Amino acid sequence: RHRRHHLGFVRGVEAMGLKMLVAEPYRLWSLNTIQIPEGIDDLKVRKKLLQEYNLEIGGGLGSLKGKIWRVGLMAYSSSEANAIFFLTALEQALREQGFEVPRGAGATAAKDFYSKAK
């Protein structure tokens, strides 16, 4: 279950033009690290996700502070609905800061994955 939701989540992240920090063979399925695009304010994104969508994600620690987001897909939150909800909310937060994301790209890519990986 965790692997499936991780893979759907990553498809969505990458469809939005974002990159994962860790190379595919070394990723943890339950903790996903997304590289923050140039020009995007880490704190503004996390604040919007928390205040408007009740989604709490972690920022980078140490040398990764301000460079990555840590997104958990574990326990109850490891679900298709939650992965798609997060991708939709993140898209909105990024758009507000001028990051060009094809409308619905993340959610669409994740849904496409899920439809094929039953």
Side-chain angles (χ1 to χ4, degrees):
R1 174 173 69 99
H2 288 86
R3 179 179 182 273
R4 179 174 182 262
H5 297 305
H6 161 77
L7 293 173
F9 178 84
V10 170
R11 296 299 187 294
V13 166
E14 291 175 343
M16 293 170 62
L18 302 172
K19 296 179 182 174
M20 302 299 287
L21 175 68
V22 179
E24 188 171 346
Y26 306 106
R27 294 179 186 158
L28 297 175
W29 300 334
S30 58
L31 182 59
N32 299 273
T33 51
I34 304 170
Q35 294 182 27
I36 299 172
E38 185 81 26
I40 297 299
D41 185 314
D42 166 36
L43 293 176
K44 282 185 182 178
V45 169
R46 290 191 289 129
K47 184 177 180 181
K48 179 178 180 65
L49 292 176
L50 183 58
Q51 291 179 344
E52 295 186 25
Y53 299 96
N54 198 32
L55 290 169
E56 186 171 12
I57 64 171
L61 302 172
S63 64
L64 293 174
K65 185 175 183 175
K67 296 179 182 177
I68 64 162
W69 292 306
R70 295 175 296 128
V71 182
L73 287 175
M74 52 191 91
Y76 174 79
S77 70
S78 184
S79 71
E80 181 177 334
N82 285 338
I84 292 169
F85 179 65
F86 174 80
L87 293 166
T88 303
L90 180 60
E91 176 185 324
Q92 184 59 38
L94 291 170
R95 284 179 168 281
E96 286 185 8
Q97 290 193 42
F99 187 78
E100 292 189 25
V101 179
R103 196 162 299 280
T108 299
K111 287 176 185 177
D112 183 56
F113 170 82
Y114 285 124
S115 71
K116 296 173 184 170
K118 296 282 180 185

